[in-house]
Amino acid sequence: MFEWTLQHVAFIVGVTVLTSIAVYTDWRNFRIPNKLTFPFFILGWIYQVSFWGLPGLGDGFLGFVVGFGTYLILWFVAGGGAGDTKLIGALSVWMGLRLTIWLMVLSTFIVVIDSIVISMYKVLRYGTKKWKKEHLATGKVDAKGKPVFKKETLEEKRARRMLPFAIPVATATWLLMLLNGSGVIKEGQLGPQRAAKQEQAQVD
């Protein structure tokens, strides 16, 4: 049976507050500010060392390397918002390696499904020509409908975004908390195997 502990409360409150504020700022301003991600990045390390000690620091570090490292490379290659990468960096410290990997997989799946649904809706409502004009790499086409390749401005990149990055990340995070807390995903901050290890350590 799942029993609430201070560790559970700290994790759920910390991660929920971070993702909820990120959704609000990204939806409203298409921006995830440093004054949000940096304090929660520090709080993530405090959480790990307070409840899991050195193993927690190691788990948080591995999660950060995988999560932040992957999105940093994607940012360099494909562009996007630096705040998006920093959000993953802060979250990955809290979540550790296993949940960070799950987060990356699930949020990518949500983005793909969302892009397909929104694209189909726009094509059906506005037609293929307008959809191409809005969502080609430059958002520009010539008189014959062929893409015009030129460097995008930041405003043009933002206009092409179908959904603020924080929304699929937050959705994936909340789903993972439910799945991890229910035991569907065994390993993780709320998983039964992690709780069993904590109880064993207290006995020892």
Side-chain angles (χ1 to χ4, degrees), residues 24-88:
Y24 175 78
T25 60
D26 206 14
W27 177 265
R28 186 181 178 90
N29 304 315
F30 278 93
R31 184 171 177 269
I32 303 173
N34 292 337
K35 62 183 180 181
L36 170 66
T37 54
F38 184 71
F40 276 92
F41 173 74
I42 299 300
L43 288 172
W45 295 112
I46 295 173
Y47 159 80
Q48 289 287 7
V49 74
S50 298
F51 293 103
W52 306 116
L54 289 179
L57 287 178
D59 190 32
F61 176 74
L62 290 175
F64 176 75
V65 168
V66 171
F68 181 78
T70 300
Y71 280 87
L72 183 63
I73 293 172
L74 292 174
W75 178 60
F76 278 127
V77 173
D84 301 343
T85 304
K86 293 171 187 176
L87 173 61
I88 292 293

Side-chain angles (χ1 to χ4, degrees), residues 102-163:
W102 275 105
L103 172 64
M104 293 166 62
V105 172
L106 187 55
S107 61
T108 300
F109 176 76
I110 292 172
V111 168
V112 170
I113 296 299
D114 171 75
S115 299
I116 293 173
V117 171
I118 292 179
S119 295
M120 290 178 63
Y121 169 78
K122 288 188 174 182
V123 168
L124 291 173
R125 181 168 182 178
Y126 302 112
T128 305
K129 187 175 181 180
K130 185 173 181 180
W131 179 85
K132 285 182 177 180
K133 185 176 180 180
E134 288 184 353
H135 296 290
L136 284 171
T138 63
K140 302 291 183 180
V141 293
D142 60 20
K144 296 182 180 179
K146 294 183 178 180
V148 177
F149 295 101
K150 73 178 187 65
K151 188 174 181 180
E152 281 185 300
T153 65
L154 180 60
E155 288 72 21
E156 288 173 331
K157 286 182 179 180
R158 287 178 175 176
R160 281 199 304 112
R161 293 176 69 182
M162 291 188 179
L163 193 69

Side-chain angles (χ1 to χ4, degrees), residues 18-27 31-32 36 84 87 91 161 163-174:
L18 170 58
T19 51
S20 297
I21 297 176
V23 166
Y24 175 78
T25 60
D26 206 14
W27 177 265
R31 184 171 177 269
I32 303 173
L36 170 66
D84 301 343
L87 173 61
L91 264 176
R161 293 176 69 182
L163 193 69
F165 178 78
I167 293 179
V169 170
T171 303
T173 301
W174 300 337

